[in-house]
């Protein structure tokens, strides 16, 4: 048994998959698994699967969003976002550069459109976009082909996998609290460990399961969310998952045009801030070169790969198989063709698939010269 990793390709600064397209892929794979559980003819054998992607800017509204957005709220959230084309480092101006559709010559930024969508997860409003990696496992929680999970234990699995990835890949100590998601003591999270691998695994497990016991920060760092979490289950088949902020603007960037987090209270948690891996490494005490040390990992695909490896180990499967970009795009082409589903496909989804196929073909041609 292996874990299959489907990583949706993107090309900065302008070519990111729409969140709706990733959701369409997830729905297709979940339906296939449910068909298998119903013993429908033609069903494919079960393979635990992980979808990872970095979408165009998107606000998702959870089931606890009791009332619709007001006109002013919708206008505020849906305004375009300007992203720097270079990493947001401490002390650097976010107006020096950024990712997508149109370059703003005055500020050297790129203008990205924003979507607002409803999500089947619990909770209120959250944000997904460039600089973040979204990770959606599609698992049968009661399958005998890997470890079995209750709903609560599955949530802890996502937390543990995220905490382990942040520690092993970046030396960041993260933890859970009474609020959903994964948190750090901002400004005091980076602490490369000298413990053995066995000691580290025991500490990670305790961190994931102990909740607020691990939130005590002797260095005085304030709580900041580094990864969001949301789960949707249907007949024990998982949907949604977690989203890790890898390289995104922090609270020091107050202009709403540059920082989509500044437009709302993330997940309705008043008084709490949002941070990212790069932001915490930039704040590392006693080591100004901390960010440079991990530069090769500070991108969503690398973090997705590390998270996938940890997930495979944690659920007890023998191998991780990452599907190539060409094969992933072929699957997306089939989905948007209308042959797989009768559901309406958005023009934005079709356009992305067309453009990413053209980009892959161009890269292949260049590589063949």
């Amino acid at each position: 048994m292996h874990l299959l990793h489907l990583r949706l390709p993107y090309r900065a600064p302008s070519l990111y998959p729409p969140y709706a397209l990733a959701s369409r892929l997830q729905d297709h794979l979940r339906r296939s698994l449910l068909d298998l559980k119903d013993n429908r003819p033609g069903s494919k054998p079960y393979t635990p699967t992980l979808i990872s992607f970095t979408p165009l800017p998107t606000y998702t509204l959870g089931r606890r969003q009791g009332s619709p957005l007001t006109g002013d709220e919708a206008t505020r959230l849906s305004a375009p976002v300007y992203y720097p084309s270079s990493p947001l480092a401490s002390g650097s101006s976010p107006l020096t550069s950024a990712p997508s559709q149109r370059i703003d010559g005055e500020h050297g930024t790129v203008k990205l459109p924003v979507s607002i969508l409803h999500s089947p997860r619990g909770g209120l409003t959250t944000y997904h976009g460039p600089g973040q990696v979204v990770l959606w496992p599609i698992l049968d929680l009661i399958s005998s082909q890997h470890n079995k999970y209750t709903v609560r234990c599955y949530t802890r699995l996502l937390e543990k996998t995220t905490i382990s990835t942040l520690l092993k890949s970046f030396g960041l100590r993260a933890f859970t609290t009474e609020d959903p998601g994964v948190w750090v003591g901002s400004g005091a999270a980076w602490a490369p460990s000298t413990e053995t691998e066995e000691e580290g695994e025991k500490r990670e497990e305790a961190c994931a399961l102990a909740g607020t016991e691990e939130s005590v920060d002797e260095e005085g760092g304030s709580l900041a969310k580094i990864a969001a979490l949301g789960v949707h289950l249907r007949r024990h088949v998982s949907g949604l998952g977690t989203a890790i902020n890898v390289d995104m603007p922090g609270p020091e960037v107050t202009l709403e045009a540059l920082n989509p987090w500044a437009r709302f209270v993330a997940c309705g948690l008043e008084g709490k801030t949002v941070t990212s891996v790069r932001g915490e490494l930039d704040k590392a005490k006693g080591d100004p070169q901390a960010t440079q040390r991990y530069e090769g990992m500070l991108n969503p695909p690398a973090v997705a790969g590390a998270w996938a490896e940890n997930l495979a180990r944690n659920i007890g499967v023998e191998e991780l198989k990452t599907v190539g970009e060409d094969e992933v795009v072929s699957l997306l082409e089939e989905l948007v063709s209308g042959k797989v589903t009768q559901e309406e496909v958005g023009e934005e989804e079709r356009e992305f698939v067309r453009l990413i196929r053209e980009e892959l073909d161009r890269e292949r041609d260049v590589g063949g010269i």
Side-chain angles (χ1 to χ4, degrees):
M1 176 59 62
H2 61 268
L3 174 68
L4 194 67
H5 183 190
L6 300 175
R7 189 166 59 198
L8 272 61
Y10 72 89
R11 295 293 185 271
S14 61
L15 195 53
Y16 293 92
Y19 185 96
L21 180 61
S23 184
R24 184 180 302 281
L25 174 60
Q26 176 188 233
D27 290 345
H28 169 68
L29 296 176
R30 292 182 79 193
R31 279 198 302 268
S32 297
L33 181 48
L34 289 167
D35 286 347
L36 175 64
K37 289 168 73 78
D38 289 337
N39 294 314
R40 293 190 178 181
S43 298
K44 297 180 180 179
Y46 171 53
T47 301
T49 301
L50 171 67
I51 299 172
S52 69
F53 65 101
T54 295
L56 281 168
T58 305
Y59 291 97
T60 62
L61 313 180
R63 294 195 307 270
R64 285 179 54 208
Q65 194 83 30
S67 56
L69 297 176
T70 66
D72 288 344
E73 288 173 333
T75 298
R76 183 182 183 187
L77 292 182
S78 60
V81 178
Y82 292 83
Y83 267 93
S85 56
S86 62
L88 290 171
S90 291
S92 65
S93 170
L95 290 174
T96 56
S97 45
S100 181
Q101 326 292 13
R102 193 164 74 238
I103 302 292
D104 183 303
E106 180 181 355
H107 299 306
T109 58
V110 182
K111 183 179 179 181
L112 285 163
V114 177
S115 298
I116 302 175
L117 302 173
H118 288 274
S119 172
R121 62 172 173 80
L124 299 172
T125 303
T126 194
Y127 172 77
H128 302 293
Q132 184 185 72
V133 59
V134 183
L135 301 139
W136 288 348
I138 301 170
L139 307 176
D140 180 356
L141 301 190
I142 59 174
S143 172
S144 61
Q145 299 187 54
H146 51 64
N147 298 336
K148 297 183 180 182
Y149 298 93
T150 63
V151 175
R152 184 175 183 181
C153 287
Y154 177 65
T155 300
R156 287 177 169 177
L157 168 70
L158 298 178
E159 294 168 343
K160 174 183 177 180
T161 303
T162 301
I163 289 168
S164 173
T165 300
L166 293 174
L167 180 64
K168 292 181 178 179
S169 299
F170 302 104
L172 292 177
R173 295 190 179 277
F175 44 82
T176 58
T177 73
E178 67 275 8
D179 293 317
V182 173
W183 300 74
V184 296
S186 188
W190 188 69
S193 178
T194 58
E195 63 195 0
T196 66
E197 183 174 352
E198 182 179 357
E199 291 171 337
E201 289 179 355
K202 289 181 179 179
R203 195 205 63 77
E204 291 159 20
E205 182 174 4
C207 187
L209 303 183
T212 55
E213 292 180 17
E214 282 287 319
S215 68
V216 177
D217 183 5
E218 296 179 357
E219 299 298 324
S222 59
L223 281 178
K225 180 179 279 191
I226 198 167
L229 187 147
V231 173
H232 179 263
L233 296 175
R234 184 181 176 191
R235 291 166 49 200
H236 305 289
V237 173
S238 65
L240 304 181
T242 191
I244 301 175
N245 301 332
V246 180
D247 185 4
M248 305 184 84
E252 67 279 0
V253 181
T254 58
L255 290 177
E256 292 187 3
L258 298 171
N259 186 358
W261 299 105
R263 304 180 184 187
F264 73 113
V265 177
C267 302
L269 299 176
E270 293 281 357
K272 304 291 176 64
T273 61
V274 174
T275 189
S276 68
V277 174
R278 179 179 289 276
E280 292 309 308
L281 292 177
D282 283 347
K283 298 173 187 175
K285 296 180 179 180
D287 192 338
Q289 278 76 48
T291 302
Q292 184 177 354
R293 181 180 303 186
Y294 300 103
E295 197 66 47
M297 279 291 295
L298 275 170
N299 62 83
V303 175
W307 199 91
E309 289 178 0
N310 284 328
L311 179 65
R313 182 175 59 254
N314 288 340
I315 66 174
V317 300
E318 299 174 355
E319 186 181 358
L320 171 68
K321 291 185 178 180
T322 301
V323 179
E325 289 186 333
D326 188 79
E327 188 174 344
V328 172
V329 173
S330 294
L331 176 56
L332 296 178
E333 287 172 332
E334 186 177 3
L335 283 177
V336 302
S337 70
K339 298 177 182 178
V340 176
T341 174
Q342 299 301 314
E343 297 174 2
E344 183 178 352
V345 178
E347 185 56 38
E348 188 179 47
E349 298 173 63
R350 297 183 192 276
E351 181 69 359
F352 168 78
V353 174
R354 183 184 68 81
L355 291 174
I356 196 67
R357 170 57 74 192
E358 290 180 356
E359 181 64 18
L360 291 181
D361 290 344
R362 185 192 66 79
E363 291 171 357
R364 187 184 301 111
D365 290 344
V366 171
I369 294 176

